[in-house]
């Protein structure tokens, strides 16, 4: 199962590095990372280039805002699972995508599957997130639809 992660970014040189590293360090390796840059005028693209991996695709061109950029990424994505990770977010631990893939495979063709994934910067005690183990940063609801593509954010 291929997972596509879409990161829409514009002028985020100070935060994009952690986002890129977070995806690159995932233990699940069937991942494509789409960076949709709105023609940043700072050093964002330098950071992206510095952390570029073979599974990363970068599009940099003016757009009409974050939702336009995210939709561009969704249209380019080839994964069975599509995740949205903003340019100041990161995975709480290295197994987040592995847990997503395992649960999608275990559940098969589910119409809607609701779980918890952790992204962000603030730790919450007692987080119920899938595979969190208390190492979470911020609790976010995740809705997965595996009938066609699976999406989470």
């Amino acid at each position: 199962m291929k997972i596509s992660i879409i990161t829409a970014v514009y002028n985020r040189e100070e935060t994009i590095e952690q986002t890129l590293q977070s995806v690159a360090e995932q233990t699940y390796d069937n991942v494509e990372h789409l960076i949709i840059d709105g023609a940043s005028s700072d050093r964002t693209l330098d950071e992206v280039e510095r952390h570029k991996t073979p599974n990363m695709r970068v599009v940099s061109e003016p757009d009409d805002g974050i939702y336009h950029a995210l939709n561009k990424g969704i249209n380019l994505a080839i994964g069975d699972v599509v995740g949205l990770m903003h340019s100041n977010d990161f995975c709480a631990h290295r197994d987040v995508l592995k847990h997503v893939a395992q649960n999608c495979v275990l559940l098969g063709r589910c119409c809607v599957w609701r779980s918890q994934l952790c992204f962000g910067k603030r730790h919450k005690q007692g987080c119920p997130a899938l595979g969190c183990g208390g190492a979470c940063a911020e609790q976010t609801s995740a809705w997965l639809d595996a009938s066609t593509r699976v999406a989470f954010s």
Side-chain angles (χ1 to χ4, degrees):
M1 170 179 299
K2 183 172 236 20
I3 298 177
S4 297
I5 301 294
I6 300 165
T7 299
V9 61
Y10 180 71
N11 288 342
R12 288 302 214 161
E13 67 181 290
E14 69 281 350
T15 61
I16 191 70
E17 178 180 23
Q18 188 173 23
T19 303
L20 299 172
Q21 287 177 337
S22 177
V23 174
E25 292 172 356
Q26 289 295 297
T27 58
Y28 189 76
D29 61 0
N30 196 4
V31 176
E32 75 167 337
H33 194 182
L34 297 159
I35 309 299
I36 311 299
D37 176 73
S40 290
S41 58
D42 66 357
R43 297 184 50 82
T44 297
L45 288 173
D46 294 334
E47 286 296 313
V48 170
E49 189 60 35
R50 195 165 68 88
H51 294 283
K52 192 160 184 179
T53 62
N55 64 340
M56 186 185 292
R57 288 192 286 161
V58 180
V59 174
S60 182
E61 60 191 17
D63 56 43
D64 294 325
I66 191 168
Y67 298 108
H68 183 231
L70 292 173
N71 280 312
K72 265 195 241 182
I74 290 168
N75 287 331
L76 292 171
I78 60 172
D80 304 298
V81 175
V82 175
L84 309 176
M85 179 177 280
H86 298 291
S87 58
N88 62 341
D89 290 343
F90 58 92
C91 295
H93 53 82
R94 295 174 42 132
D95 293 324
V96 168
L97 299 182
K98 180 176 88 172
H99 289 295
V100 169
Q102 286 173 339
N103 284 280
C104 288
V105 169
L106 290 174
L107 294 171
R109 187 182 167 95
C110 55
C111 292
V112 175
W113 175 61
R114 186 167 191 260
S115 182
Q116 301 289 321
L117 299 176
C118 294
F119 298 90
K121 296 179 179 157
R122 294 174 301 280
H123 177 72
K124 296 205 177 205
Q125 295 294 339
C127 176
L130 180 66
C132 173
C136 79
E138 183 174 279
Q139 180 176 305
T140 305
S141 292
W143 288 90
L144 303 181
D145 178 351
S147 57
T148 52
R149 284 189 174 171
V150 181
F152 64 94
S153 69

